[in-house]
Amino acid sequence: MTESEQEIEGQVRYPQAPDAGAAGDPQPWGEKTRVVGSRQPRVDAFERVSGSAIFPSDVMLPGMLHAAVLTSPHANARVKSVDTSKAEKLSGVYAVISRNTEDANPDWDYGSDYPGKLFYDHCRFEGDFVAAVAADSSYRAHDALRAIEVEYETLPFVSDELAALESGAPEVHDGGNEAGHQSYSRGNIEQGFAAADVVLEETYRSASEMQTPLEPHGCVARWEADRLTVWESTQGVFAVQSKIAETLNMPLARVRVIGHYVGGAFGSKLRTDKYAIAAAMLSRRSNRPVKLFMTREQTLVSMGNRPPTTMTIKAGAKKDGTLTAIQFKGIGASGAYKAGGTSLLDWLAKDLYQCDNVSTELTDVYINAQPARPFRAPGYVQCSWAMEQMMDALAEQLDMDPVALRLLNIPDGTQARGNKPYTTDGLRLCIEQGAKAFGWDQAKAAPRGNGHLQRGVGMAAANWFVGDGGPPSTVILRLYADGTANLNMGASDIGTGTKTVMAMVVAEEFGMEPDAVQIEHADTATTQFATPSGGSKTVPTEAPAVRRACLAAKDRLMDMAARQLGRERDEIIFAGDRLRTADGLESLAIPELDELKKQKVVVGVGERQPNRQDVSITPFAAQFCEVEVNRRTGEIRLLRMLGTNESGRVINRLTWDGQVIGGITMGVGYATTEQRVLDGPTGKLCNRNWHDYKLPTALDVPAEIISEPIMLSDEQANIVGAKGLGEPVTIPTGGAIANAVYAATGIRMRDTPINPVTLIDPLASQEG
Amino acid sequence: MCASKRSQDQGRQSGATSGDRFGFTRREFIKSWSAGGVALAIGHNAMAAEVKQPNEALAGDEPVQLRLNVNGKSHAVLVEPRWTLLSVMREQLGLTAAKIGCERGECGSCTVLVDDLPRYACMVLAVEAEGHRIETAEGLVNGDQLGAVQASFMKEDGLQCGYCTPGQVMAAEGLLRHNPNPSFDEIRRGMSGNLCRCGAYTNIFTAVADAAVLRKG
Amino acid sequence: MFTPFAYIQPGSVEDVVTALGDKNAFIHAGGTDLLGCLRDDVFSADKLVSLSGLKDISGVSETSDGGLVIGALTTITDVAEHPLIQRKYAGLAQAAADVASPQLRNQGTLGGNLCQKPRCWYYRGDFDCLRKGGYKCFAVNGENEYHCIMGGANCFIVHPSDPAPALVALDAEVAIVGPGGRRRLPVSELHMPPEKDPTRETVLQDAEVITAIHLPPAAAGRYSSYRKIRTRRSWDFAVAGCALAFDMEGDQVRDCRVVLAAAAPVPWRSREAEEVLRGNTLNDGNIRAAARAAVADARPMSNNAYKIPLFEGLLREEFGKIVSA
């Protein structure tokens, strides 16, 4: 497993009793739940809609300065000299740091193989740090940046991942541009192709896509003597804490990281970056709190991307639709440092459909561009683009319905991770129920249209390999004497509704309303440890721990009730918000417990137990899409999309649907509007703002997006029956859209994105 | 409901009060020369005359005193001519509902109402905002009572991370003041100047439609 | 972030013209494009001369001859929503409605829109390009998918405005005030072809200000339209667009204007297409021939040959709509 895969998985497996199915485990909630499964507005919705939520970029402290960072404007350059003397003399400027300020230039590495510094002599990508300043306004900070004189020696560069592999290409690091190579095989691929009646081979390309959350990357740093507090826009406060402590050689106990709100992340804020260190250094030098947020342009240039990818798939099938062989070759670009350029890229090829003969080969490449970062379903989104178009092409060759072909090749379990059975038949359920809800058969049979506006439908399916969650996670529940509760957990709510889901778990257990739960979260000093919120693992990781914390607290309340009523402990049961005797003769409300009145609070601690090792706990998805293409202009109108997901139990239907809608919307951007453009002659980013890098707007999304959850509880997954949802919702979108465009036009769009610029030429060629 | 109506009225009232000092009410002033159906609000130097004299250049490096009417309250602030309304609201007035997303008019997370019309506060110089009625998401809230648009965003979950949300709310508020009965397509167009990377648009459309009903309440 | 600038808000056009005489002074109308350029360090300003103190250069009014005068400070929203413009000059209203985003339309002005700077990512980015006084056009050997296919010469931007092609099609004129007094200029002559001067977008002289846009009376039966193709359906510049103004007699074209957007560094009147159609029947054969004629002289760059079929398809579709209108 690569470092970034570990980061996505973000969990350690302990040899303990599994989280589900162990002796003494609580009963599943069953079908009848009171709060769980309902549509609950977010517990922090008021803060978020009123503008009173304080995001890290909103934090203001007395005396706080504003920082700005000077970054390298070159794809590859040596920094020969930095002259900050003019900047230092400007009024309102409190601190300037660069390679000249040795005590403010700690070691920094982009991975253990590469020594480096915060301000390093060799900037291997546009956007690497050269200097930073703190001033009394952001305007003056930028004035100071302009006054810094830097002498660069520009070096040869390579910015295209295929060119980087050619002999004679400039080397990003000594020793060639191959950053990694992985291969996998099962069965016998040659025999598999020999057994096929149809063999297809195609190459697909997926452009680099950038996360660009609305809140830029950054933080506020403040020192109190030798203790540092950082308010950072992050997916995981503990990950930020450990990186800062390691970089500054500080004990963890002297670094406090707070991240109550985060304005979007999508994987790009799983870890911190140089900005946190620069903010801490500027703050120390100026003896003032410092706010350092990257500019929007800088976030595009250097704060994360989904790697550009080239994928060749060769697939064979028998006439009856049985897949006999899948060969997948993928090339992806990490960027200037090893950063998972091909992370998880082959997983759908080797694990989505039943196929005995599979071989994959992945080549990760260095280029002189910003390091990649995990981006919502890394690897899977790209592979789905290729794999699901290939399935569509196979179906056509076989004269089969794309839905039918997929249903014929549903595996019983994971084939690439030790032949473990899946805990559910989720893939089949998603495809079947999705097709039904979408009206696939009718929509597919309907005519394309006879003018220049032609419609078509397409679909794609997916699974996701870390929707199981797992340890470590510790959660503390405090039950107050009045029956309300405080939930203490380290996890961030990155907008997926984590806090609300956890409040609902507590509410379910205690028969209260979710708004009776106060939540304390995402603060390394005051909350329990949690891994970053990412990888679709937050609900299946935290919710079982929360339930266990509730159960522990309930246990103590039942003890109290037994003593108060003079009954045996096993005569006491919890019924809604009351404790009653099994014979139904006596009951107490929580606030009526005498011991609780005296003690004021009862504490329950919950820990996430490991997953069962004999099964594969996997979420599944399928999406269906109808498009209309204007054959004269290449314009695509997405008429409607439907997403079916099997992620175990639906805890909050409202935020579940929000995830589905959001995942599809993000997939619409990937498939139709977004693409990083690096200038060929200079290697610099051309589209460094949101006019040129095009996120989808309200007018680009389908008029109708339907979420159709598969209603089940995955009892083998964990004690809440829920799996992860945040990533499966975006994996199939691109493939479904491309397949619908094919159905409408007969044109196979192998490269992202599909829009008038890319579609008009093939349309015109068809016209002849 | 609804709180938003109340705060709107408060805004008008105090706008009129501050206008009276200059011998006319804000509304009359707009009416006297605005064109078309929408109140335009340029040419306000007559109002501003007490603070900055027309035809007198403000030096780039010297702060100038301005009076900004935000959420019905008049604030005296000291700004450089280059400071945007967004910077001044956030850093001097402590109003952080309008967010910094791009500072170049490309995301909408700083959307505020200027004389009832949605604008990007990052693209408005503070010196140009004087004499106009500015409203932010904070101004739609009354105690623990949300404005109609905000309540609908909450109910329909027209958000995820919430960072773009105060801007979306103000775009919706501006849309509904201008067009109380928008069609689905008009809602989509009206909301097409606000990016949501979490992708909550579909729920935002529902929330705006819901708010249109609620506002009539 | 902006560098420091002085600011002045004169109360009369004359005072504006005087203030613009100062070194490195720029007009601030709506400010949306100016502030974007300053933010991007495309250029810096020593002084902004705000037009927001002017009372008499906004709004729409009818002239005695049946034409229209639109004050230069009229916002794009007001142009898009004005009933008279929608009725008599639909192409202009449609073009205005397609500009940028609602917020920018609420702030940007028609005069400012005509004078905006190009969106070329080399011009806006950290490249020492010809238009900024540098040494070359980086699009020539660079990423030029959004650049021009006609009229490029030495600089290969496309003109970013939507209303400008519509105004050219409608034979509009701009009223200008400057140090030399007042003058009128057809919009079709307002924009500077790069071969004449790649560093200026318009032919306006130093310290000249557009105060109004004049639309001549529209002939009875006038059809006008604007259509924009973009890769994103809001808040995006055209990758191809066309403004049409057709005076029809039955299915015969009495006179016509065909103006392309995003084809060239200036709004590009396609006299070739007009010639095919003028005096002829608007039938399928003529429509195809006219659409083809419009792009016959196109000289695409390495990455933008797609614009040729795109313009052709777009024009076929838009000409076809006149027949069914």
Side-chain angles (χ1 to χ4, degrees):
Chain A
M1 200 181 279
T2 66
E3 191 182 332
S4 81
E5 283 169 43
Q6 280 168 0
E7 184 172 62
I8 294 153
E9 190 146 348
Q11 49 189 269
V12 184
R13 296 183 190 279
Y14 294 109
Q16 294 172 8
D19 206 273
D25 257 358
Q27 287 296 307
W29 279 318
E31 272 182 42
K32 274 196 153 181
T33 47
R34 197 181 58 87
V35 178
V36 162
S38 64
R39 289 169 59 92
Q40 281 291 336
R42 290 161 193 268
V43 292
D44 54 3
F46 183 97
E47 291 86 331
R48 291 184 198 249
V49 303
S50 64
S52 58
I54 299 170
F55 288 78
S57 56
D58 296 328
V59 168
M60 281 191 289
L61 299 170
M64 187 180 80
L65 302 175
H66 297 261
V69 180
L70 184 69
T71 59
S72 168
H74 303 293
N76 192 16
R78 263 182 207 290
V79 181
K80 297 184 73 175
S81 68
V82 179
D83 181 353
T84 59
S85 53
K86 283 183 193 151
E88 285 158 33
K89 289 189 193 101
L90 290 177
S91 92
V93 173
Y94 285 71
V96 183
I97 56 175
S98 69
R99 58 184 235 157
N100 305 337
T101 50
E102 273 178 39
D103 58 339
N105 191 21
D107 290 345
W108 171 278
D109 62 61
Y110 282 105
S112 49
D113 302 348
Y114 322 97
K117 285 188 167 291
L118 176 59
F119 306 110
Y120 195 44
D121 291 346
H122 188 170
C123 294
R124 287 186 169 87
F125 62 93
E126 183 187 20
D128 203 356
F129 280 38
V130 174
V133 304
D136 58 7
S137 78
S138 57
Y139 295 88
R140 295 220 188 167
H142 285 270
D143 289 345
L145 289 190
R146 287 191 186 88
I148 297 174
E149 288 166 15
V150 185
E151 195 187 342
Y152 296 99
E153 177 194 355
T154 56
L155 302 169
F157 69 90
V158 61
S159 56
D160 178 274
E161 71 276 14
L162 299 182
L165 290 174
E166 288 168 12
S167 67
E171 290 190 351
V172 179
H173 299 277
D174 292 341
N177 289 329
E178 199 176 287
H181 195 93
Q182 275 177 279
S183 56
Y184 166 89
S185 83
R186 69 169 179 259
N188 184 318
I189 194 80
E190 295 310 325
Q191 280 175 16
F193 284 121
D197 297 311
V198 170
V199 175
L200 295 179
E201 182 170 356
E202 285 293 356
T203 296
Y204 302 86
R205 274 199 70 154
S206 158
S208 180
E209 182 192 14
M210 294 186 279
Q211 290 93 339
T212 63
L214 265 285
E215 182 178 32
H217 297 66
C219 65
V220 174
R222 180 182 67 175
W223 291 89
E224 290 153 291
D226 59 354
R227 297 184 309 273
L228 175 66
T229 304
V230 173
W231 289 260
E232 177 151 331
S233 182
T234 179
Q235 291 171 255
V237 289
F238 290 93
V240 176
Q241 180 200 32
S242 63
K243 183 68 180 178
I244 292 174
E246 179 195 313
T247 306
L248 300 183
N249 196 21
M250 291 170 68
L252 288 170
R254 288 196 192 141
V255 180
R256 177 180 183 184
V257 179
I258 303 168
H260 289 151
Y261 289 93
V262 46
F266 316 110
S268 72
K269 295 173 182 169
L270 280 168
R271 46 180 137 172
T272 189
D273 198 82
K274 285 183 171 180
Y275 51 76
I277 307 303
M281 297 289 96
L282 288 167
S283 177
R284 187 135 79 188
R285 283 178 89 82
S286 61
N287 294 313
R288 298 271 205 125
V290 166
K291 178 184 280 190
L292 195 171
F293 277 79
M294 306 302 284
T295 64
R296 176 52 52 196
E297 291 80 355
Q298 288 173 331
T299 70
L300 282 151
V301 169
S302 66
M303 292 292 137
N305 67 89
R306 183 189 298 288
T309 310
T310 304
M311 296 163 285
T312 301
I313 298 190
K314 186 177 174 185
K318 289 188 185 166
K319 275 189 198 134
D320 67 1
T322 310
L323 289 171
T324 60
I326 299 172
Q327 188 178 49
F328 179 92
K329 289 180 185 167
I331 299 169
S334 258
Y337 295 93
K338 205 174 286 186
T342 52
S343 180
L344 312 180
L345 184 59
D346 58 351
W347 271 93
L348 284 179
K350 63 193 183 191
D351 219 26
L352 181 58
Y353 296 113
Q354 179 66 44
C355 184
D356 293 339
N357 308 298
V358 175
S359 83
T360 72
E361 194 181 333
L362 302 178
T363 307
D364 191 357
V365 184
Y366 292 120
I367 57 173
N368 291 105
Q370 57 153 316
R373 293 187 188 184
F375 188 165
R376 203 174 192 174
Y380 274 66
V381 166
Q382 300 97 294
C383 190
S384 175
W385 173 255
M387 184 68 198
E388 288 299 89
Q389 288 206 66
M390 176 53 90
M391 288 298 283
D392 204 58
L394 277 176
E396 190 187 34
Q397 282 289 310
L398 294 163
D399 201 19
M400 288 182 74
D401 184 282
V403 165
L405 175 65
R406 286 173 174 85
L407 289 174
L408 265 174
N409 290 285
I410 304 266
D412 295 331
T414 175
Q415 302 155 86
R417 285 206 287 178
N419 284 312
K420 293 177 193 170
Y422 289 133
T423 50
T424 64
D425 196 17
L427 184 58
R428 177 183 309 282
L429 291 169
C430 284
I431 295 172
E432 282 179 352
Q433 289 192 28
K436 191 164 166 233
F438 184 76
W440 172 259
D441 291 337
Q442 304 89 302
K444 193 158 175 295
R448 267 188 189 176
N450 45 17
H452 62 286
L453 299 177
Q454 302 218 315
R455 47 160 297 287
V457 293
M459 58 86 57
N463 66 23
W464 170 245
F465 95 126
V466 279
D468 53 353
S473 168
T474 303
V475 162
I476 292 177
L477 184 97
R478 268 182 284 167
L479 197 80
Y480 295 124
D482 65 354
T484 62
N486 172 291
L487 179 67
N488 178 305
M489 62 169 185
S492 302
D493 184 340
I494 59 175
T496 54
T498 305
K499 284 154 76 178
T500 311
V501 161
M502 301 313 151
M504 290 171 77
V505 170
V506 176
E508 186 69 37
E509 287 298 331
F510 288 99
M512 57 176 70
E513 292 308 311
D515 66 2
V517 185
Q518 180 183 54
I519 293 180
E520 200 178 339
H521 79 303
D523 180 340
T524 60
T526 61
T527 66
Q528 310 313 306
F529 181 84
T531 50
S533 295
S536 305
K537 60 171 186 52
T538 310
V539 165
T541 295
E542 308 300 336
V546 170
R547 188 168 182 222
R548 283 185 192 281
C550 293
L551 295 173
K554 282 167 88 168
D555 223 36
R556 297 195 53 197
L557 295 177
M558 287 192 279
D559 287 345
M560 290 176 178
R563 284 192 288 270
Q564 189 166 337
L565 297 173
R567 296 290 194 112
E568 291 300 313
R569 169 67 176 73
D570 59 10
E571 284 181 80
I572 307 293
I573 50 179
F574 236 97
D577 58 352
R578 295 184 77 83
L579 298 105
R580 66 175 173 83
T581 54
D583 56 19
L585 295 175
E586 290 176 281
S587 82
L588 289 166
I590 294 172
E592 289 167 358
L593 291 167
D594 292 336
E595 285 181 54
L596 181 59
K597 283 182 198 163
K598 279 186 215 137
Q599 201 175 309
K600 305 297 183 197
V601 71
V602 152
V603 173
V605 178
E607 284 186 30
R608 179 61 159 89
Q609 302 301 311
N611 293 326
R612 283 177 55 172
Q613 294 297 303
D614 56 335
V615 290
S616 174
I617 300 160
T618 300
F620 298 96
Q623 287 179 13
F624 299 79
C625 170
E626 180 164 5
V627 303
E628 180 188 82
V629 177
N630 184 330
R631 294 190 55 87
R632 289 194 182 141
T633 61
E635 291 165 297
I636 303 162
R637 217 147 61 87
L638 301 171
L639 301 175
R640 60 188 181 117
M641 285 201 75
L642 180 139
T644 35
N645 287 84
E646 193 275 280
S647 287
R649 186 182 283 278
V650 178
I651 295 182
N652 186 353
R653 180 65 195 267
L654 188 65
T655 52
W656 171 292
D657 290 351
Q659 281 301 297
V660 175
I661 288 164
I664 288 175
T665 300
M666 187 166 265
V668 166
Y670 168 78
T672 68
T673 61
E674 295 177 44
Q675 116 193 78
R676 176 175 80 178
V677 179
L678 296 174
D679 179 44
T682 64
K684 288 163 68 69
L685 181 67
C686 285
N687 42 3
R688 58 180 60 220
N689 57 54
W690 272 330
H691 270 309
D692 293 323
Y693 186 81
K694 300 174 199 301
L695 303 186
T697 69
L699 290 176
D700 295 291
V701 297
E704 177 187 297
I705 301 179
I706 304 276
S707 161
E708 186 75 21
I710 303 296
M711 291 295 187
L712 58 78
S713 178
D714 191 341
E715 306 297 1
Q716 297 178 73
N718 52 56
I719 59 161
V720 301
K723 298 180 288 198
L725 180 68
E727 270 138 319
V729 293
T730 201
I731 297 167
T733 311
I737 291 172
N739 290 337
V741 168
Y742 180 80
T745 62
I747 293 166
R748 183 60 69 196
M749 294 298 287
R750 296 179 185 86
D751 298 0
T752 65
I754 311 174
N755 57 43
V757 171
T758 56
L759 189 54
I760 192 69
D761 273 332
L763 282 168
S765 314
Q766 270 187 339
E767 303 280 309
Chain B
M1 293 296 284
C2 73
S4 68
K5 265 189 194 153
R6 268 202 299 279
S7 79
Q8 192 181 339
D9 290 339
Q10 281 163 6
R12 289 223 178 96
Q13 218 166 15
S14 63
T17 309
S18 78
D20 283 336
R21 255 181 276 145
F22 302 99
F24 46 76
T25 67
R26 172 93 222 136
R27 290 168 75 79
E28 283 164 357
F29 176 73
I30 292 168
K31 215 163 61 183
S32 65
W33 58 274
S34 80
V38 187
L40 292 180
I42 46 177
H44 58 277
N45 68 315
M47 283 184 73
E50 302 239 326
V51 182
K52 46 177 213 251
Q53 298 299 318
N55 255 353
E56 186 182 298
L58 309 174
D61 47 1
E62 278 170 34
V64 48
Q65 193 182 333
L66 293 182
R67 205 160 268 284
L68 292 180
N69 180 333
V70 184
N71 296 329
K73 271 201 172 341
S74 179
H75 301 266
V77 291
L78 212 55
V79 308
E80 290 180 33
R82 61 171 163 167
W83 284 21
T84 63
L85 174 62
L86 179 62
S87 306
V88 172
M89 285 193 311
R90 288 175 59 85
E91 284 160 33
Q92 298 204 27
L93 305 184
L95 296 169
T96 58
K99 303 288 184 228
I100 295 178
C102 64
E103 296 189 289
R104 49 179 301 145
E106 294 175 347
C107 75
S109 55
C110 66
T111 299
V112 297
L113 298 187
V114 179
D115 300 329
D116 293 324
L117 293 175
R119 297 238 197 131
Y120 303 134
C122 72
M123 285 279 112
V124 177
L125 294 175
V127 288
E128 289 271 311
E130 191 172 44
H132 297 276
R133 207 160 27 83
I134 317 295
E135 289 170 83
T136 70
E138 287 106 334
L140 302 183
V141 183
N142 186 359
D144 65 357
Q145 183 136 34
L146 295 169
V149 171
Q150 291 164 320
S152 298
F153 268 66
M154 178 166 176
K155 174 169 156 267
E156 300 297 336
D157 205 35
L159 67 140
Q160 282 192 33
C161 77
Y163 197 77
C164 72
T165 310
Q168 302 271 4
V169 162
M170 295 318 285
E173 179 72 23
L175 168 68
L176 294 176
R177 284 188 195 176
H178 186 61
N179 179 2
N181 299 299
S183 67
F184 180 70
D185 280 342
E186 286 167 341
I187 291 174
R188 286 180 68 160
R189 268 181 64 80
M191 300 308 294
S192 69
N194 294 72
L195 295 180
C196 173
R197 186 49 154 166
C198 299
Y201 298 126
T202 307
N203 286 352
I204 290 171
F205 304 152
T206 316
V208 177
D210 183 71
V213 177
L214 202 56
R215 280 167 59 90
K216 287 175 209 146
Chain C
M1 282 296 124
F2 318 129
T3 52
F5 47 73
Y7 171 90
I8 186 167
Q9 193 191 61
S12 73
V13 176
E14 291 67 31
D15 289 340
V16 165
V17 170
T18 307
L20 285 170
D22 290 354
K23 188 178 138 273
N24 205 25
F26 287 82
I27 299 174
H28 179 295
T32 56
D33 187 51
L34 173 70
L35 297 182
C37 287
L38 296 177
R39 167 80 168 72
D40 282 353
D41 279 332
V42 176
F43 50 81
S44 62
D46 289 338
K47 184 178 197 175
L48 299 195
V49 181
S50 172
L51 303 190
S52 53
L54 305 184
K55 292 178 182 171
D56 49 359
I57 66 165
S58 78
V60 180
S61 52
E62 258 180 302
T63 58
S64 51
D65 64 352
L68 274 193
V69 186
I70 305 173
L73 283 191
T74 309
T75 65
I76 302 295
T77 297
D78 283 351
V79 173
E81 294 183 353
H82 200 283
L84 215 51
I85 299 176
Q86 286 179 340
R87 199 167 71 239
K88 293 171 76 175
Y89 306 93
L92 175 60
Q94 290 164 14
D98 273 354
V99 168
S101 71
Q103 287 91 329
L104 292 171
R105 293 194 288 272
N106 285 340
Q107 182 167 341
T109 64
L110 187 58
N113 185 280
L114 293 177
C115 297
Q116 66 184 299
K117 302 287 183 182
R119 299 303 309 192
C120 167
W121 48 35
Y122 297 105
Y123 175 72
R124 299 266 167 171
D126 178 23
F127 295 87
D128 186 19
C129 87
L130 198 63
R131 185 163 290 274
K132 288 184 285 191
Y135 65 105
K136 71 168 183 181
C137 174
F138 285 80
V140 174
N141 296 315
E143 309 305 321
N144 49 36
E145 47 267 57
Y146 302 120
H147 289 76
C148 69
I149 55 170
M150 296 168 190
N154 47 354
C155 163
F156 294 82
I157 62 160
V158 292
H159 198 271
S161 170
D162 299 305
L167 289 169
V168 172
L170 294 165
D171 294 330
E173 292 187 344
V174 287
I176 298 164
V177 178
R182 292 171 186 266
R183 62 176 178 133
R184 296 257 293 247
L185 191 71
V187 177
S188 60
E189 292 169 26
L190 174 64
H191 296 104
M192 179 73 84
E195 70 264 24
K196 287 195 184 150
D197 185 349
T199 67
R200 298 175 83 97
E201 285 69 41
T202 67
V203 301
L204 293 179
Q205 306 284 314
D206 286 344
E208 279 193 325
V209 186
I210 295 177
T211 54
I213 292 87
H214 291 260
L215 286 156
R222 159 76 56 84
Y223 173 97
S224 73
S225 68
Y226 183 76
R227 175 78 198 283
K228 179 176 183 179
I229 311 283
R230 39 191 160 176
T231 56
R232 178 166 90 163
R233 285 177 178 263
S234 172
W235 220 345
D236 204 357
F237 292 85
V239 292
C242 69
L244 305 181
F246 275 64
D247 292 337
M248 303 293 293
E249 274 175 7
D251 58 355
Q252 295 280 313
V253 179
R254 197 171 59 221
D255 195 8
C256 64
R257 300 281 183 279
V258 177
V259 186
L260 308 184
V266 297
W268 193 259
R269 186 164 164 194
S270 178
R271 292 178 194 275
E272 297 81 359
E274 291 174 11
E275 233 158 76
V276 173
L277 296 174
R278 193 174 290 115
N280 285 321
T281 312
L282 209 53
N283 59 27
D284 193 49
N286 286 334
I287 284 176
R288 279 174 186 269
R292 186 142 303 169
V295 292
D297 293 334
R299 298 182 60 184
M301 306 174 78
S302 51
N303 296 337
N304 68 4
Y306 74 88
K307 285 196 176 188
I308 293 175
L310 185 53
F311 272 107
E312 218 180 312
L314 165 68
L315 287 169
R316 276 182 59 195
E317 176 159 288
E318 293 308 296
F319 291 153
K321 285 181 188 165
I322 304 174
V323 185
S324 51

